[in-house]
Amino acid sequence: MNQPADAGPSRWLRWYRKAARPRMRLVCLPHAGGAASMFRDWPQWLPEDVEVIGVCYPGRQDRVLEPCIDEMGVLSTRIADVLQCYAGERLALFGHSMGASVAYEVALRLQQRTGRAPVGRLFVSGQLPPHRVTPDDVHLRGDDAIQETVRGLGDPNADAVLDDPDLRELVMPAIRADFRLIGTYLPRPATALDTSVTAYAGADDEDVPAEGLKEWAATTAPGRFDHRVYPGGHFYLLDEPEVLVRDLADHLAAASATR
């Protein structure tokens, strides 16, 4: 599953705000079938010295002709390669759903490579921690089963995309790959990161109950974990994004103040 030789930051990362002297870089990883553009409006709710960067996975948007990646280890390693030059206290990661698992795996790889705190803070949303993930076999049951699952998650854009034959043909390769990736991401003991972790979920997300969300505490040291539950389902963050992003801003301010 070779990637182009120039698959560096300019191919993987989309800057929705650049800062001359960034206090923090917030790198955001989308859900299965999602795109970096879901984060393009976030800068309006963050301080001007916080860069906002979305990760564009292969096989979507302007990378639609590239082969998709359907293995967690490969995807997280590729992203860690790109972010290694930014690793440290000025880097924060946010991931939603599949993106939360990818963000954790990226942070873990950066920590293992550098032997130090990989990021200033890890934000995980709409996902269970690595020792509690519950993969299923929907990726083995064909496109109809995958599409039914996507529609059931409550993404407000899903029906419009999947009901359009041309759009559906365009996006299904990436969705198939993502569902295989999360379907083969098996639970294992959590490895603690040398960074603080904040976990979020929607109150009506049946796949991420509050008790499961709290178990993200195992991925960091005692006293370095907190969590929030907001009204809504799996895609709660699309209902009132300002509320979530302002909470991120508060955490980022606290992280930079302790440096």
Side-chain angles (χ1 to χ4, degrees):
M1 201 173 301
N2 295 325
Q3 296 297 302
D6 61 340
S10 63
R11 185 175 294 273
W12 283 86
L13 306 180
R14 303 292 178 267
W15 271 263
Y16 296 114
R17 174 194 282 143
K18 282 193 173 185
R21 296 174 61 86
R23 174 168 54 91
M24 295 290 288
R25 292 185 175 93
L26 177 62
V27 175
C28 304
L29 298 97
H31 56 280
S37 57
M38 73 176 292
F39 307 108
R40 63 189 173 193
D41 295 331
W42 283 23
Q44 64 186 302
W45 301 303
L46 289 163
E48 293 185 358
D49 57 356
V50 174
E51 290 192 342
V52 180
I53 304 165
V55 175
C56 182
Y57 306 140
R60 61 214 79 197
Q61 296 187 286
D62 58 341
R63 304 186 70 184
V64 69
L65 297 180
E66 296 181 34
C68 300
I69 295 176
D70 59 7
E71 298 175 33
M72 176 65 81
V74 176
L75 182 62
S76 55
T77 296
R78 294 270 197 263
I79 297 171
D81 291 344
V82 171
L83 295 180
Q84 188 160 343
C85 61
Y86 303 123
E89 294 177 341
R90 293 184 184 273
L91 177 67
L93 300 180
F94 173 92
H96 178 66
S97 196
M98 180 189 86
S101 296
V102 177
Y104 168 78
E105 293 292 337
V106 169
L108 183 60
R109 280 159 175 73
L110 291 175
Q111 178 167 292
Q112 291 170 339
R113 293 177 185 184
T114 63
R116 59 188 175 87
V119 295
R121 195 164 198 108
L122 173 65
F123 301 101
V124 290
S125 167
Q127 181 62 296
L128 294 172
H131 56 295
R132 283 287 311 277
V133 292
T134 53
D136 60 35
D137 65 350
V138 66
H139 63 288
L140 300 175
R141 291 188 272 121
D143 284 359
D144 288 347
I146 292 174
Q147 291 175 36
E148 182 181 355
T149 301
V150 171
R151 293 177 192 272
L153 288 172
D155 183 341
N157 302 311
D159 287 342
V161 172
L162 295 177
D163 288 343
D164 184 310
D166 293 331
L167 288 177
R168 184 171 63 243
E169 182 179 2
L170 190 66
V171 303
M172 278 307 297
I175 295 175
R176 288 187 204 105
D178 289 349
F179 270 76
R180 184 185 186 281
L181 184 149
I182 57 177
T184 55
Y185 181 56
L186 303 178
R188 69 182 199 283
T191 299
L193 297 168
D194 186 16
T195 191
S196 297
V197 176
T198 299
Y200 302 99
D204 300 324
D205 188 345
E206 296 179 358
D207 292 330
V208 189
E211 290 307 311
L213 188 71
K214 293 176 184 178
E215 292 197 35
W216 275 101
T219 64
T220 187
R224 302 189 69 182
F225 170 76
D226 68 324
H227 74 287
R228 305 277 190 280
V229 176
Y230 292 111
H234 189 66
F235 284 99
Y236 74 92
L237 71 172
L238 300 181
D239 297 333
E240 293 188 62
E242 179 179 357
V243 177
L244 169 66
V245 179
R246 290 198 183 280
D247 192 72
L248 298 181
D250 291 342
H251 281 87
L252 293 174
S256 60
T258 59
R259 289 206 307 266

